[in-house]
Amino acid sequence: MSTALVLGASGYLGRYLVAELAARGYRVRALVRNKERAEAPDPHGAPALAGLVDEWVVGDIRDPQISRGLSEGACHVFSALGVTHQKASPWEIDFLGNLAVLRDAEQQGVQTFSYASALGVEEGLTAVKRCKYAFEEVLLRSRVKGYISRPSGYFSDLSAIFGMAKKGRVLQIGEGTHRMNPIHGADLAAFMVDHLEGAPAVYPVGGPEVFYAHEIPELAFEVLGTTPRTHTVPFGVAEGAVKVVSKLKPSFQDTGKFILSTMSKDAVGEKTGNRTLREYFLELADA
Ligand SMILES: NC(=O)c1ccc[n+]([C@@H]2O[C@H](COP(=O)([O-])OP(=O)(O)OC[C@H]3O[C@@H](n4cnc5c(N)ncnc54)[C@H](OP(=O)(O)O)[C@@H]3O)[C@@H](O)[C@H]2O)c1
């Protein structure tokens, strides 16, 4: 039985990676910061990890002791490790954290390192994207075979839009005329586990349906059976607000840039998977 190490196992994608690997008969080693939280259900519908993990490693990736020997005996490493809502430095987590495990994996003779990056990292618009791109560059030169998925947005991120629709009104920046194909965590996890062979590669991936951004709140209201009420903030106004807030609070600058770029640019990857956003919203409505 091959061992697979999952980094970021307690997160939205990480939980689906653990479930997919366990279902395919891998022995799963999971790095988490809090085992009880990882064993409990996740707010976005991703699986609780109780009963799916063979070996828990509990710790923070910034602790140098954690990565030492972490991948011993593993054939594959899967990384969903990164800064999203956590208040932390993407350099320390997305770059140095993944790098520490890659260096250990090289020493331990691990075969593959499968990494969840993000669409558009090569444009380097935000610190998170620059750190992810820097790690991609190192991974592609490693003697461990690197497989990089660059996903569009995850369904989990769209639960915020559904939450606003549930409260009666969705705030939308700009006209919502950019396109995106968000992906379910289970579809991305299956894609990553399916792609462990051949030359190292970079895969821009997204879900099976392409939406104009304004169609997503419309779908949320349709699923809820309520009257669509969308409040549009002109893009220029949002840009101005981000500039002002960033001056007052420099740590917001990157988040602001990230929000503006996701609200204005197409994010469409190769279509994969079969889970639809309507099904996801229906699950949220029933929860
Ligand atoms: N969400 C999206 O729409 C999207 C789109 C494209 C790419 N991505 C990328 O895909 C990856 C997974 O995203 P996600 O939405 O699943 O994120 P998530 O739910 O926030 O999961 C991130 C994982 O990283 C772990 N982590 C963060 N800091 C850590 C630290 N210091 N030590 C150990 N573990 C740490 C988190 O642990 P805790 O649970 O303890 O915080 C969590 O398990 C990220 O790299 C993200 O940038 C996300």
Side-chain angles (χ1 to χ4, degrees), residues 109-207:
V110 168
Q111 293 166 21
T112 69
F113 192 118
S114 191
Y115 175 54
S117 181
L119 267 186
V121 285
E122 70 285 8
E123 293 163 10
L125 280 181
T126 62
V128 169
K129 290 194 170 182
R130 287 191 291 277
C131 294
K132 286 189 177 313
Y133 189 62
F135 179 67
E136 284 191 2
E137 292 284 289
V138 181
L139 178 56
L140 290 172
R141 288 197 299 271
S142 169
R143 62 174 176 269
V144 176
K145 277 189 176 179
Y147 298 106
I148 296 165
S149 295
R150 286 184 182 164
S152 55
Y154 298 165
F155 280 12
S156 54
D157 274 9
L158 301 178
S159 59
I161 293 181
F162 191 81
M164 282 192 274
K166 224 170 168 178
K167 288 185 181 156
R169 186 191 291 262
V170 172
L171 189 71
Q172 177 180 287
I173 295 175
E175 296 304 317
T177 49
H178 57 289
R179 296 172 315 133
M180 58 177 80
N181 61 335
I183 186 164
H184 193 289
D187 283 338
L188 179 56
F191 179 90
M192 290 174 72
V193 181
D194 280 342
H195 289 77
L196 297 177
E197 280 173 8
V202 178
Y203 303 106
V205 287

Side-chain angles (χ1 to χ4, degrees), residues 7-15 31-34 37-38 42 44 59-63 66 79-86 88 92-94 98 115-119 128-129 132 149-158 183 188 258:
L7 312 177
S10 55
Y12 174 70
L13 173 61
R15 288 168 182 262
L31 173 70
V32 296
R33 291 195 286 187
N34 183 320
R37 189 155 45 80
D42 144 280
H44 304 295
D60 192 301
I61 200 62
R62 289 168 290 195
D63 172 359
I66 282 292
S79 174
L81 173 71
V83 172
T84 57
H85 59 276
Q86 300 86 1
E92 284 185 348
I93 311 298
D94 296 69
N98 281 299
Y115 175 54
S117 181
L119 267 186
V128 169
K129 290 194 170 182
K132 286 189 177 313
S149 295
R150 286 184 182 164
S152 55
Y154 298 165
F155 280 12
S156 54
D157 274 9
L158 301 178
I183 186 164
L188 179 56
F258 176 77

